[in-house]
Amino acid sequence: GFEVAGWYGVLAPAGTPRDVIALLNAEIVKVLNHADVRERAAAEGALTAGSTPDAFGAYIKTEIAKWDAVIKASGATAD
């Protein structure tokens, strides 16, 4: 009843100014949109996808909630 997908993302320390985050995001999205980067990722079975900082933050929150539920349902512990 759940889907597993690996992903990578770039995070910045808490308190990083929004303008710095916006600049980093814009540059990373430019790189991800280069044809050679997309082709290399595809050759390794991956897709490139850039989004906004807010959208990525929302995705991370969704992933935390999803895996929290899976862990609780499984009864797994860190011990």
Side-chain angles (χ1 to χ4, degrees):
F2 59 92
E3 178 181 310
V4 177
W7 54 268
Y8 295 95
V10 178
L11 303 172
T16 301
R18 294 286 292 176
D19 61 328
V20 172
I21 291 173
L23 176 62
L24 288 169
N25 178 254
E27 295 302 315
I28 291 167
V29 169
K30 281 183 195 175
V31 170
L32 292 175
N33 285 325
H34 281 261
D36 58 330
V37 172
R38 288 184 177 270
E39 289 169 11
R40 187 170 182 177
E44 296 176 9
L47 300 172
T48 59
S51 68
T52 66
D54 290 337
F56 185 48
Y59 178 72
I60 290 171
K61 287 178 184 175
T62 300
E63 286 288 283
I64 289 169
K66 174 176 72 176
W67 291 109
D68 181 59
V70 170
I71 291 165
K72 285 179 180 170
S74 76
T77 65
D79 298 330

